[in-house]
Amino acid sequence: MCLAFSLFMPLLSLFLFSRDDRSAHEVSVDRSTMAEHILEDEEEGLEVTDEQKIGLATWFLLKSPPGEIQQVAKSIRGVLMDERLFDMAAKEAFPKYNMEQMIAIDLADHSGQVLLTKYGAIDVSQHLDPRTAQVAVIDHVKQVCTDVRPAADDELPSAFVEEHRASIDNELVKYVEEAFPKGNCAVYCTCGKDVESGGDEFELKAVISATKFSAQNFYSGSWRSVWKIQVNQELQTVEINGKINVIAHYFEEGNVQLETSSECSNSTLLQSPADTGVAVVNVIQYLESDYLGVLEESYSKVSDNSFKELRRKLPVTRTRFSWNNALQLSLSREITKELSLTR
Amino acid sequence: MQVGRLRMQAAEEGGRERERVKERETKRRDILFVRAGEHSEKHQRRIGVRVAMEAAMDLMRRMPPTQVDTALSSLLLLLPQYSSELLSRVDQPLQVAWDAECLKHYLLCDYNRDGDSYRSPWSCKYFPSLEDGAQPSDQLRKLEVEANEIFAIYRDQYYEGGISSVYLWEPEIGGGFAACFLIKKDGQGRRGLLQHGLWDAIHVLEVGEEDEGLAHYRLTSTVMLSFTTKDAPSVSFSLSGSITREMQADLSVAEGHLTNMGRMIEEMEGKLRNGLDQVYFGKTKEVVFTLREPLGSLTATSATGQSLQQVVMDDILRK
């Protein structure tokens, strides 16, 4: 009985906890009580309601490895065997997934790409591309851009903030081009977009996202870093706080996944927009390279220590195990013991 | 486990017996067909192509390995008609139970489960107790006892610790027998190291009937590994997953089944251990470093490399 319960405890906590790591764009409120419902139903016996099925399907979609959500969607369709339920789950899961994974979509007029993030979302299906001051209309489930329009004035920051934003963006693009073979980046103003010179603080978010997926080589991976840049005009400082998330998935004859993350921070002085841009990106570059170094070290430590502690290559005898002798050896041990006891 | 409870609640008192027996029979038949079906087209056609089941297996290959339990629970809820097959095909990290009679630990899997109770290979009793739980035949039990003893010694020599269990059973259809050898090792971070490793090995062997002194052995092995480390306080690192490999052989039964099975497992584990090193560490690291290259690295595609190539080309053209 306790085993059956323990199988459901993780499911229960999953639905309780998944409320916390949600993005700004919320999903239906029912989710919080889903867990209780599932547990209740489990005690009564049998049926899983449609609502619960949608919840479970959404969970699978959200947990898709980088670049694999379409494959997961196909499989979930096969498991659900109900198009209506799948559509509802997809409508809920895809926008959240696209924004969490920060995927890049080609603009409808082929003029470039737009990153889908919660920082640039004007509403669920309209996303701002700050670099070109355009707004893209997105179909999340198909993961395409259906329309592009220029951004309205109130969707853009003030000229003063824009100067800083653009300068950081320019430097960031240069850095990303050098360090990330398939990376995209964007800088958004997330707070104080109407601030003028000599005024209050404002906050920018620099986002870097790189995804790779190769079905024939059986791997996929993504790097996402989000850098919060707080500019304090009074103190003339710039605070930089970053979160880096890396996922790697290898699936030839199995399923191996790496999940690693890091939080780091630093600060620099506020200078002219051009110089601030260079300084901020230098900090970002330094912290990210540092993280890469820590990762490399973790890999070699785990490979040298933990792995070797699990299983030896050969027994201490330096020969393979003697299967036909082992029992005789242990039998003869038993017999010797018996003889010595009865003596 | 979930299947046992769902089924037991659905049946009435008298029906409870029938349900368990039926489940046992279906499971035994399915297990071998399913393991065969995974790799044989003919079997797939014979039992019908079940899209939902294959879709479920595809999902399990993509979900984060750290959340196997949640993923499996969800699939059991969505596909209750395939619970038996899901429980036997999806590999989960092995759980440990205590044999209160022999005072030893034993490992849990679908092959020693009956309803909600699990049979210990040491005392052959079910915990929680079950009056008429499924038991192997006397002859098979003898082999099972010997297998557990020898495997424990093997485990000690290679793993220097850990827990092992071996379960034998007869398939409903066809001769021969099947066995699963389980090992669980927890490499607690020693010497104050902050790394933690877990190794779970599941080896399922199907042994065909003896024919002219030879028997056909088919081994399907899965090793599940999990590493977590927390060196820097701000950096978290978790690497986990599973790899499955298969091996077949026709061997002479002169030295007995146990020797043949043992040697196959030993060889498989050796291969897996090396392969895992490459896959877990090599491949995943490669993925990360193709996403983000160390700055200033000289490769054909890096910015440094490209600009250097440009300089060289300019030089050549100028001359």
Side-chain angles (χ1 to χ4, degrees), chain A residues 201-204 228-232 237-241:
Chain A
E201 318 182 323
F202 61 92
E203 186 185 282
L204 300 171
K228 183 162 78 161
I229 302 161
Q230 281 166 305
V231 178
N232 188 323
T237 58
V238 182
E239 285 285 320
I240 304 166
N241 289 294

Side-chain angles (χ1 to χ4, degrees), chain A residues 123-138:
Chain A
D123 60 44
V124 175
S125 45
Q126 293 195 78
H127 286 260
L128 171 70
D129 176 28
R131 195 170 303 140
T132 56
Q134 293 183 99
V135 173
V137 180
I138 306 285

Side-chain angles (χ1 to χ4, degrees), chain A residues 2 6 46 77 164 167 186 205 216 219 233 307 318 335:
Chain A
C2 43
S6 70
L46 314 154
R77 263 205 165 97
H164 288 270
S167 144
K205 283 247 165 74
Q216 68 197 43
Y219 75 71
Q233 292 195 72
F307 196 46
R318 305 248 189 107
I335 292 174

Side-chain angles (χ1 to χ4, degrees), chain A residues 45 68 75 253 299 311 324, chain B residues 58 62 245 255 273 284:
Chain A
E68 296 183 38
S75 295
E253 289 183 321
Y299 261 109
R311 184 187 188 276
N324 43 9
Chain B
D58 181 74
R62 299 184 194 271
R245 294 263 154 85
E255 286 180 293
R273 193 191 178 283
T284 53

Side-chain angles (χ1 to χ4, degrees), chain A residues 97-110:
Chain A
Y97 177 84
N98 289 341
M99 291 195 281
E100 256 174 38
Q101 297 295 321
M102 305 199 288
I103 67 170
I105 301 225
D106 290 323
L107 288 169
D109 57 5
H110 306 291

Side-chain angles (χ1 to χ4, degrees), chain A residues 177-178 181, chain B residues 293 297-307 309:
Chain A
E177 238 175 59
E178 190 186 333
Chain B
E293 289 176 352
S297 64
L298 193 62
T299 66
T301 48
S302 75
T304 317
Q306 299 252 333
S307 63
Q309 286 168 35

Side-chain angles (χ1 to χ4, degrees), chain A residues 102-120:
Chain A
M102 305 199 288
I103 67 170
I105 301 225
D106 290 323
L107 288 169
D109 57 5
H110 306 291
S111 60
Q113 290 191 315
V114 60
L115 264 186
L116 302 184
T117 67
K118 63 186 186 194
Y119 314 112

